[in-house]
Amino acid sequence: QVQLQESGPGLVKPSETLSLTCTVSGGSINSYYWSWIRQPAGKGLEWIGRIYSSGGTNYNPSLKSRVTMSVDSSKNQFSLKLSSVTAADTAVYYCARDFRGDYNGYYYYYYMDVWGKGTTVTVSS
Amino acid sequence: EIVLTQSPGTLSLSPGERATLSCRASQSVISSYLAWYQQKPGQTPRLLIYGASRRATGIPDRFSGSGSGTDFTLTISRLEADDFAVYYCQQYGNSRWTFGQGTKVEIQ
């Protein structure tokens, strides 16, 4: 059973770069897209972006200028960097797997089937 | 970018009642790419429905999804105590995901 675990500093100073890693266990990182999602306290879910196991990326346009994602298949890990952070970037950060399910004759089903437990990142001096 | 608008923001109901949650998209969504998640306080979102109407593994049959195009619905036929939570719809399109803002189902 695939499990995801986020790791990284829980406190980041304003204007610095937030760095998180998601470790995939119980399965391979290969042949999937892997997403980052965040959730400020008491608010909804915001998709940050995703990375394919071979390194291709898609980012949320609202964050694109500050986001960099990378993957290390040898370690079964992928990472997020968010630069120039402010208090507005304080949130719980989740990693998740984008899963392509069965083909229904027209499209494959597509959803996020496995999520990490999330890690809280606070931006404060 | 496709915007998902969920309504109502909060639904106050009693156990045993039926809950109907709406998710409206700003443009047509491919049904195969529309999912619903449940999130309880302090917990990770859990996949309930994918492909607009298909229940994920282990999800009770009191949860059902329907809809197409721009209008989608999550129905909980008879609320149980464990169902009081926040529900999010989500869609994939143009190589990006978007979420609705969530509907909170609370005990009346």
Side-chain angles (χ1 to χ4, degrees):
Chain A
Q1 182 179 352
V2 174
Q3 293 185 312
L4 307 181
Q5 179 67 58
E6 305 89 349
S7 59
L11 180 64
V12 181
K13 290 182 167 53
S15 80
E16 295 190 344
T17 295
L18 176 161
S19 296
L20 296 175
T21 295
C22 183
T23 300
V24 180
S25 60
S28 174
I29 199 170
N30 292 327
S31 304
Y32 290 101
Y33 272 100
W34 302 89
S35 281
W36 287 98
I37 303 101
R38 69 180 183 178
Q39 184 173 38
K43 297 190 177 181
L45 301 164
E46 179 182 33
W47 178 72
I48 300 169
R50 67 177 189 167
I51 186 164
Y52 193 63
S53 52
S54 60
T57 56
N58 301 113
Y59 299 145
N60 186 326
S62 67
L63 297 168
K64 186 175 183 177
S65 63
R66 298 194 292 130
V67 172
T68 303
M69 294 184 184
S70 59
V71 62
D72 186 339
S73 298
S74 67
K75 295 182 178 180
N76 244 24
Q77 293 178 335
F78 60 101
S79 298
L80 166 70
K81 291 187 186 299
L82 182 66
S83 64
S84 305
V85 297
T86 69
D89 296 308
T90 294
V92 176
Y93 284 75
Y94 297 99
C95 54
R97 183 174 73 173
D98 294 8
F99 187 77
R100 191 177 75 169
D102 296 338
Y103 184 65
N104 63 12
Y106 298 94
Y107 298 97
Y108 287 95
Y109 295 112
Y110 210 32
Y111 46 90
M112 293 180 183
D113 69 329
V114 181
W115 294 61
K117 293 188 188 307
T119 187
T120 299
V121 178
T122 301
V123 179
S124 175
S125 56
Chain B
E1 173 182 314
I2 296 178
V3 176
L4 300 178
T5 301
Q6 292 186 240
S7 61
T10 301
L11 202 48
S12 298
L13 295 168
S14 301
E17 290 194 293
R18 182 184 188 90
T20 303
L21 287 67
S22 172
C23 176
R24 182 160 292 175
S26 58
Q27 53 188 283
S28 188
V29 169
I30 296 171
S31 296
S32 299
Y33 300 162
L34 193 287
W36 290 90
Y37 297 83
Q38 176 194 65
Q39 187 180 34
K40 297 177 185 177
Q43 295 188 19
T44 297
R46 176 175 73 144
L47 177 68
L48 294 177
I49 300 287
Y50 66 93
S53 62
R54 298 175 70 93
R55 275 187 300 277
T57 303
I59 301 303
D61 61 7
R62 64 180 182 275
F63 290 92
S64 63
S66 63
S68 63
T70 60
D71 288 301
F72 297 89
T73 300
L74 175 70
T75 302
I76 311 171
S77 59
R78 295 172 309 279
L79 282 165
E80 296 190 2
D82 193 47
D83 301 336
F84 292 93
V86 179
Y87 294 84
Y88 295 95
C89 57
Q90 176 207 46
Q91 72 84 36
Y92 174 78
N94 295 324
S95 300
R96 66 188 67 158
W97 296 96
T98 56
F99 290 92
Q101 82 279 19
T103 290
K104 181 179 182 180
V105 179
E106 64 176 21
I107 299 178
Q108 188 173 46

